[in-house]
Amino acid sequence: MHEFFTNLDLHAKGLWFPVSVSILLALTVLFIPKNIPWKEIYITFGVVGLATWLSDGILSRALDLFDIGDPKKAGIGDILSYTFIPTSLAILFINYFTRKNRWILTSWFTLAAFLIEFGMVQLGYLKFKGWNGYFSIIAFVIAFGFLLPLHLKIIRSD
C-alpha cells in the first residue's frame, strides 16, 4: 500500500494546480447546460483521451521533450492532467461550437489551454526539455481550429 501512495507522486512541486484545474473543468462539463448530446460527450472523451495519452507517450516518454511531475512516475497529477484537462476543454469547445464562432472559440480555448500549461510551468510541475510554448500554441490552434471541428463533423455524419 505504501508503494501505491508513493507512486501517486503526491509531493510533486505544483501538484495542486493540475489537480484543481482537472476537478474544476470536469465539474464544469458535468454541470453546464448541454448543447450536445451525451453520446457526443462520451465519444469526445474517449477520442481526445486516447489522443492525449498517445501524444504523451510519444512526446514526453519516447522523445523526452517534457516532464510532468516526476519523470519516473505516472502520478495522480499526470493521470488527471492527461485524462481530464484536454478532454474537458474539448467537450466544452464542441458544446459551444458553431461555424460562425469557430475562430473566436479557437482563440479563447487556445488561450485557456496555454494559460493552464503556463501555470503548470511556472509552478514547476511541467518542465520543458526540448518543447516550448510556441509549439503548444500551434498544437492548440490545430486541435481547436481544425481537429475538433473535423471530429464533430465525423461523429455527426450518418
Side-chain angles (χ1 to χ4, degrees), residues 51-129:
T52 303
W53 279 95
L54 285 174
S55 64
D56 166 58
I58 294 168
L59 297 174
S60 76
R61 307 284 184 220
L63 299 175
D64 200 25
L65 296 177
F66 59 87
D67 289 329
I68 292 186
D70 185 336
K72 294 177 175 62
K73 298 176 185 174
I76 190 71
D78 300 41
I79 294 166
L80 293 175
S81 294
Y82 292 130
T83 304
F84 292 107
I85 294 175
T87 56
S88 296
L89 287 173
I91 291 166
L92 291 169
F93 179 85
I94 67 168
N95 189 59
Y96 296 108
F97 177 80
T98 64
R99 285 192 172 144
K100 193 174 190 179
N101 70 5
R102 175 184 191 159
W103 295 109
I104 292 170
L105 273 185
T106 297
S107 299
W108 282 109
F109 277 84
T110 296
L111 178 63
F114 178 76
L115 289 175
I116 292 167
E117 180 181 89
F118 181 78
M120 289 171 64
V121 170
Q122 292 303 306
L123 292 168
Y125 191 70
L126 172 60
K127 296 164 195 78
F128 292 145
K129 299 166 38 180

Side-chain angles (χ1 to χ4, degrees), residues 97 102 143 145-156:
F97 177 80
R102 175 184 191 159
F146 300 101
L147 296 177
L148 284 173
L150 177 62
H151 163 76
L152 196 56
K153 183 177 180 179
I154 291 168
I155 62 176
R156 288 184 176 168

